[in-house]
Amino acid sequence: PMGRRGPDRLQLLELGRGTAQHVLIGGRTGSGKSTLLHVLITSAALWYAPSELEFHLIDFKKGVEFKTYANERLPHARVVAIESDREFALSVLRQLDRELTSRGEAFRAVGAQDLAAHRAAGGQHLPRIVLVIDEFQEFFTEDDAIARDAALLLDRFVRQGRAFGVHVVLGSQTLAGAYSLAKSSLGQMGIRIALPCNEADAHLLLHEDNDATRLLTRPGDAVYNDQAGLAAGNSPFQVCWLSADEETALVRPLAALADANGWQPTQPPVYFEGSAPSDLDAAPRNTNAHAKAKAHELWVGQSSSLAGSALVPLPDAAGGNVLIVGQNREAAAATCAALLLGFAAQPQAQLLALDGEEADGPFGTVCAALAPRVRRVSAKEVPAQLAAVAELIDRRQTGVDPERTPLLMIVFAVQRLRVLRPDDSMGFDGGSSKSAADLLATILANGPEYGVHVVAWCDALNSVQRGLGRRALRDFDARILFQMSAADSSELIDADAASRLGLHTALLAVDSDGRRDKFRPCRLPTPATLTRLLAAASEL
């Protein structure tokens, strides 16, 4: 049920019969489209058990439309994406594509043609899947691989989804312009729900000869049409009003009800919030990633995909260092904290922090919370520490130090460490022939092969070139970029992708395998959280 049709009848949404398999919803801002989507999701969740119905919810709007379903752990929700980015939404489509392939194989095994026949043949009980995408045209705002892949996958779903029990609900404020799905794909959407909108959108949503939307004047006025927009299928109705408090009250008991009935999801739900940083402590997989990952693959945030974790490789080979570039100081400190915690899971690992900022800065706070396991080195002590690390590498090269205890050295705020600049670093120890810049270059080039890895944060490309030198870039196989100009991004990773990052997103680029992963760095943890996570990492 979606609302009232006439004085004594309800308007029902019916999916899975004939050509009524997918839904296209359109309405301008303030027309009631978001309320209608909430009514559809809440009503369906109240009518059907999670074993019968599974939701994949993607919201491209700059808001928190679907957050209630994540907060209340709606059991029907397999994926809830709030203020989603295009990369994550595409990963959801790819996961659904794999589900269609899997269901096709299961259907062939029992000789079934569709979901009903598969159930009748005694196959594994599979729920119907409903994919809901609000403002779906965001997929097509750029003419790139994401737009092309999304168009192909959505076209497959609307053409083949009927047989596999997969239904698509697409909502948009406007269907006009170039940023939309192909008309051939939209033509497969048998059910159209039109709210107040302009004439051009009405003709695209319904039919050029169907002018029923001109009678829609109030928010919530709508036309339900299950004949692909033809006028003969019009059914005017009023969307029911569902307040946020009432929605929460209706959804909240469903998780407990599912538990009481003994229902368990086949896979844990995924909640993605693109408008906020990830949390180092909130999700169990964040700490488990340190134990389950490869020896030198460390968690730095939540990936913009269903993979869940963004992992930085630190191989004992040339280039096994990490360069972090961008002006997001707190995100850089939080990322370094995550790397320190991940590296601490290795037995006897040594952790050094060369801090170019004040002791009460964000990274200094991290070091204090992780002391004494992490040894903080102030700016004036940096030259002597670099000399000690370079000497350690030399001993390992000559076989004097066969144990090769792993060592991670964070160089934070390179732009503040004047001693690393070639013209400021000569003769720092009164007798060494090597400057601090030369020693750091040696460590970057030779250290990874002997278990010594460097993570360096610079606020801008100019700081990288002044503090590390142009040649040093080749010694950083992994690079993490925050928001920056297109020119700086192109210089660092041969692509301008970092210029399109949001406030809470970053880009992980790994040269050795050509990987470009968008992810959400974690927020800066509290000292108490850092202390507890360090204790947990040390026990792994």
Side-chain angles (χ1 to χ4, degrees), residues 83-403:
E83 198 170 323
S84 178
D85 55 35
R86 299 167 74 236
E87 290 83 358
F88 181 82
L90 180 60
S91 75
V92 175
L93 299 189
R94 287 173 172 162
Q95 175 64 30
L96 277 178
D97 187 52
R98 290 190 289 270
E99 178 65 21
L100 255 66
T101 301
S102 175
R103 290 192 174 195
E105 294 172 354
F107 286 11
R108 283 192 294 272
V110 297
Q113 296 294 323
D114 55 28
L115 186 64
H118 178 260
R119 289 185 175 184
Q124 178 188 1
H125 187 85
L126 299 172
R128 288 189 179 271
I129 296 174
V130 178
L131 169 66
V132 180
I133 307 179
D134 194 11
E135 304 303 336
F136 73 94
Q137 76 280 0
E138 288 294 318
F139 265 129
F140 311 104
T141 54
E142 296 182 36
D143 184 14
D144 57 7
I146 294 177
R148 292 189 291 272
D149 289 351
L152 289 173
L153 291 171
L154 285 173
D155 186 71
R156 184 188 177 194
F157 297 158
V158 299
R159 293 180 187 277
Q160 302 178 18
R162 178 191 64 81
F164 301 108
V166 175
H167 308 280
V168 179
V169 178
L170 302 180
S172 178
Q173 293 181 13
T174 178
L175 300 176
Y179 303 141
S180 191
L181 195 59
K183 288 185 178 180
S184 59
S185 300
L186 294 176
Q188 299 292 322
M189 312 288 287
I191 298 177
R192 315 293 178 89
I193 301 178
L195 293 119
C197 58
N198 62 45
E199 185 177 357
D201 284 331
H203 289 166
L204 289 170
L205 184 62
L206 297 174
H207 190 274
E208 59 184 12
D209 296 327
N210 189 346
D211 60 354
T213 57
R214 65 184 177 83
L215 301 176
L216 307 178
T217 57
R218 300 174 301 168
D221 282 348
V223 173
Y224 179 90
N225 187 299
D226 59 4
Q227 297 186 25
L230 295 177
N234 288 346
S235 176
F237 74 102
Q238 179 73 29
V239 178
C240 75
W241 168 247
L242 182 64
S243 68
D245 291 340
E246 185 178 4
E247 179 186 24
T248 300
L250 291 171
V251 170
R252 179 168 292 162
L254 297 182
L257 180 61
D259 290 341
N261 290 334
W263 177 82
Q264 293 293 330
T266 55
Q267 294 179 332
V270 176
Y271 304 119
F272 179 90
E273 188 171 359
S275 59
S278 60
D279 199 326
L280 186 60
D281 187 47
R285 66 176 178 274
N286 292 357
T287 52
N288 291 342
H290 302 319
K292 295 179 180 178
K294 297 176 183 177
H296 290 296
E297 216 170 30
L298 309 180
W299 186 92
V300 289
Q302 184 180 15
S303 173
S304 291
S305 73
L306 289 177
S309 296
L311 301 175
V312 173
L314 273 183
D316 287 341
N321 304 301
V322 182
L323 178 64
I324 304 172
V325 184
Q327 295 185 358
N328 195 332
R329 182 176 172 224
E330 287 204 357
T335 302
C336 289
L339 290 166
L340 286 168
L341 288 168
F343 207 82
Q346 299 182 71
Q348 308 301 319
Q350 299 180 49
L351 305 172
L352 285 175
L354 280 56
D355 192 2
E357 295 191 331
E358 59 278 1
D360 60 352
F363 187 61
T365 303
V366 167
C367 296
L370 299 180
R373 186 67 191 280
V374 175
R375 186 159 66 86
R376 180 180 179 272
V377 178
S378 63
K380 65 180 181 179
E381 301 171 305
V382 165
Q385 186 60 64
L386 290 175
V389 174
E391 183 182 352
L392 172 65
I393 295 172
D394 186 60
R395 292 201 307 271
R396 293 182 178 182
Q397 285 177 317
T398 57
V400 177
D401 182 11
E403 292 186 7

